[in-house]
Amino acid sequence: MPAPFSRRAALRRLGAFAASSPLYQLGGQQRPPGLRERVPALEEIESVLEFEPVARARISRTAYDYVAGGVDGEFTLRRNRQAFEWAELVPRALAPAAAPDLSAEIFGQKLPCPILVAPTAAHSQVHPEGEKATHQGAAAAGVLMAVSSNSSYPIQEVAAAAKGPVWFQLYARDTPEGTRDRVERALAAGCQAVLLTVDTQYMSHRERMLHDRHLNIPAAGVPVRTRSRRQAGAPPAPYRLQPQNPDLSWKTVEAIRAYTNVPFLLKGILTAEDARLAVEHGVSGVVVSNHGGRYLDYAPSTLEALPEIVQAVGGRIPVLIDGGFRRGSDVFKALALGARAVLVGRPPLWGLGAFGPEGVRRVLEVLQAELAMAMAATGCATIAAIDRSAVLVDFA
Amino acid sequence: MSRLPPLEELVNLFEVEEVARQRLAPELFESIAAGAGAGLTLGRNREAFDRITLRPRVLVDVRAMDLGTQLLGRKLETPILVAPTSRQTLLHPEGELATLRGAAAAKATVVLSSRPGIPLERIAAQARGAFWCQLEPETGAGEFRQLVRRATDAGAQALCLSAGWRGEKPAPPVDWTLVARVREWTPAPLWIKGILAPGEARTAVEKGAQGIIVSNYGGRLVDGAMAAIEALPAVVEAVGRHVPVLIDSGFRRGTDVLKALALGANGVMLGRPPLWGLAAYGAEGVQKVLELIQTELALAMGLCGKPNLAAIDRSLVKIHKR
Ligand SMILES: Cc1cc2nc3c(=O)[nH]c(=O)nc-3n(C[C@H](O)[C@H](O)[C@H](O)COP(=O)(O)O)c2cc1C
């Protein structure tokens, strides 16, 4: 007897179909539902990518473009997704893992899964409660949240909004004292680690946002702070550049590390050379990141860069990664290539924009459930059991 | 005709191309855009950049950005030049005069075509910025010498002999006896343009070229030729560190330029993009095109931890198989 037809099953098939279209997978180009299409309800959504068009329908165009966009022609933005197609899982049909255990550990901290919320700025552009709502959703899914220096609410309010663990993403300020003050506030708010972002020397050309500006579309919510270092009266930077952190150096890293008594990571490492230097300078960990394709176009996809960094670090410090992770199997691939944990940037924002804290929670639960399925199929009962033999890789 | 967008709305070179496409008569736009044959090389010139990624280094102080460089003893503000293209008066009434004015405003050197729309002497009389002159392979010594002299008298800082090129038609072979005598006739250094094969680069240097320009003429000469950027590494290797190498064909982004510099080029020339700017906006369009790509280059360098050209080397790029 055929299975009884259910609307739910039909929607699931539709979702699977949409999610398998190449455009859909690359992400970032999501059309909002048209006038005659209905926006799906939260419980109808089965995969992370399905959140994007819903969020797009519910937030302002400028907010959407701000979240979705990459730099220049968005090569790196696309490449981050493409690289997952060059890594394949190796299933174990004879020895699947029945109920895989996703729990992970980092810097002595126990986590229910090796998935974290990446630091992203200005959440109130997509939801009035901003990062407070994101933290609530993440905490409900048991996921650690890294809070941006450019959050819409002060770090102490974000940290206090839920019980879940938080890390702090640091943008160095104009003066060493300013930077130290920012770190101390974060530590006082209970942040358990600090990530210094090192890949934003100059503001990049987000062409979608430049167009929005020229079209005079009003920005909704809190404006994005562009932190130009230009002092009043100073000559403009040459070549029309907009400085952000052009002065960051390994000296800055040493200075911050000296007063930061929680694990201190560098975010934005893409080469073996810099990974080695990071270890030599005593940092606690690195995040392989190209800032979600938002700063240097033609930076490598992070998945492609991961192996050389894992090899250079040689197990001395944990290597984390972000950039384009949208599926549990994506997370699995990075873990197999040696990452300790994976951060997701845009997906929680889609969840937040589409359904508020509940959406954030659901996005993170879907990823965990998919990771569990990948582990089951490959016979990995624990996170530690995921190793290089679990994937076949043929990078370009 | 659609509205002419204000220049400050344009954010990259492809958008300037789009405006030119809308403003120009289709045949005229196509005369700039076209490649030879089926356009294979035209396409490859762009696709090849998608197989090269950058390896950015971080935590390098990049406050003091400097794109300046030296080419055969001359200081250039940036490594981006305007390539020779003929008859610019077809695109804009001021033609080469506007191109030179726009380039001078962007502090860029222009290579004037051997077939300008305005007589060389008139251009030179009004030129504020630096320019070089292109030569075509000639058969007669008298003619060739005459061209060299005119260019020198006009104030050309360098000469650029376009090998294989004669107004888009295959040219006679380069007469090396003439090349050997150029130094008797002028103090301006001689570059040979249109080289893709490392052996030819070596020959050109042996026969008296002081610099090499890797080029497939924007895919307009031989369809099926390799992408210029793919030819670059072997040419650089063949001529060694002491012979400067420039490149053109398909450069549209600051990251394209950065990749060429990392693969050993000393500079990059732009052919079509300044023409798009010229056709749509005159001198200001040329300036805009140059400033856009200069800014993109500076930005990419800053984000790669390279505050100046000397800091750029081969380790900055990775070449992929697909
Ligand atoms: C809207 C948005 C804002 C971001 N803001 C920050 C930020 O303030 N600090 C930071 O270190 N990274 C920031 N990032 C980069 C993320 O931390 C992360 O590296 C990236 O989003 C991961 O790629 P994914 O979005 O494909 O998951 C931002 C990314 C996005 C999409």
Side-chain angles (χ1 to χ4, degrees), chain A residues 114-170:
Chain A
I115 300 169
L116 284 61
V117 172
T120 55
H123 290 202
S124 63
Q125 284 203 81
V126 299
H127 189 280
E129 292 298 303
E131 290 79 5
K132 294 187 288 184
T134 314
H135 188 199
Q136 286 157 6
V143 167
L144 184 150
M145 173 178 176
V147 182
S148 165
S149 275
N150 289 342
S151 55
S152 312
Y153 289 92
I155 180 67
Q156 46 294 9
E157 285 181 37
V158 179
K163 290 228 162 58
V166 284
W167 288 0
F168 182 68
Q169 176 270 327
L170 175 65

Side-chain angles (χ1 to χ4, degrees), chain A residues 119-121 148 169 171 197 267 289 291 294 322-324 326 345-346:
Chain A
T120 55
S148 165
Q169 176 270 327
Y171 279 132
T197 299
K267 173 171 178 285
S289 175
H291 216 114
R294 295 161 74 84
D322 70 24
R326 305 291 180 262
R346 293 177 181 89

Side-chain angles (χ1 to χ4, degrees), chain A residues 40-115:
Chain A
L42 179 59
E43 49 291 346
E44 293 170 345
I45 289 187
E46 300 285 340
S47 75
V48 168
L49 287 163
E50 292 170 69
F51 283 88
E52 186 175 10
V54 181
R56 184 171 184 176
R58 295 200 166 150
I59 65 182
S60 73
R61 173 175 166 159
T62 42
Y64 175 77
D65 284 345
Y66 170 65
V67 170
V71 57
D72 289 359
E74 303 186 337
F75 174 89
T76 297
L77 182 73
R78 291 188 297 276
R79 185 92 166 184
N80 273 346
R81 291 290 307 138
Q82 215 171 35
F84 293 113
E85 293 174 17
W86 300 327
E88 290 166 343
L89 271 51
V90 182
R92 297 280 163 82
L94 299 182
D101 172 8
L102 270 63
S103 63
E105 183 269 339
I106 190 159
F107 307 125
Q109 191 171 356
K110 289 254 175 270
L111 299 174
C113 74
I115 300 169

Side-chain angles (χ1 to χ4, degrees), chain B residues 54 232 257-265 312-317:
Chain B
L54 297 163
L232 177 66
V257 178
L258 184 53
K259 290 170 190 178
L261 298 173
L263 291 170
I312 298 169
D313 65 21
R314 181 65 180 73
S315 69
L316 181 55
V317 289

Side-chain angles (χ1 to χ4, degrees), chain A residues 125-326:
Chain A
Q125 284 203 81
V126 299
H127 189 280
E129 292 298 303
E131 290 79 5
K132 294 187 288 184
T134 314
H135 188 199
Q136 286 157 6
V143 167
L144 184 150
M145 173 178 176
V147 182
S148 165
S149 275
N150 289 342
S151 55
S152 312
Y153 289 92
I155 180 67
Q156 46 294 9
E157 285 181 37
V158 179
K163 290 228 162 58
V166 284
W167 288 0
F168 182 68
Q169 176 270 327
L170 175 65
Y171 279 132
R173 298 185 59 180
D174 295 2
T175 61
E177 302 74 48
T179 303
R180 181 162 189 165
D181 179 61
R182 192 174 258 181
V183 171
E184 278 166 1
R185 276 169 206 269
L187 298 184
C191 294
Q192 292 160 350
V194 170
L195 311 122
L196 175 69
T197 299
V198 296
D199 57 5
T200 61
Q201 298 89 332
Y202 289 95
M203 185 58 206
S204 61
H205 288 174
R206 312 277 173 75
E207 296 187 352
R208 298 185 201 211
M209 289 171 67
L210 293 171
H211 283 135
D212 291 348
R213 198 178 68 195
H214 295 135
L215 294 171
N216 274 326
I217 299 176
V222 176
V224 186
R225 274 173 280 170
T226 52
R227 307 170 333 108
S228 175
R229 287 262 173 127
R230 204 177 142 192
Q231 315 279 320
Y239 314 112
R240 294 162 189 77
L241 296 174
Q242 234 181 293
Q244 292 193 149
N245 299 114
D247 54 335
L248 276 198
S249 71
W250 291 102
K251 283 211 181 69
T252 329
V253 169
E254 279 163 18
I256 300 170
R257 192 186 64 103
Y259 59 72
T260 303
N261 56 6
V262 295
F264 178 55
L265 298 86
L266 301 181
K267 173 171 178 285
I269 300 291
L270 286 169
T271 62
E273 295 93 313
D274 282 340
R276 245 177 256 120
L277 285 171
V279 174
E280 284 165 23
H281 284 83
V283 308
S284 326
V286 294
V287 183
V288 179
S289 175
N290 52 35
H291 216 114
R294 295 161 74 84
Y295 274 84
L296 175 69
D297 209 14
Y298 289 94
S301 72
T302 49
L303 197 70
E304 287 173 282
L306 179 62
E308 75 171 62
I309 291 162
V310 165
Q311 198 196 4
V313 163
R316 289 173 290 177
I317 54 174
V319 175
L320 290 75
I321 185 171
D322 70 24
F325 288 82
R326 305 291 180 262

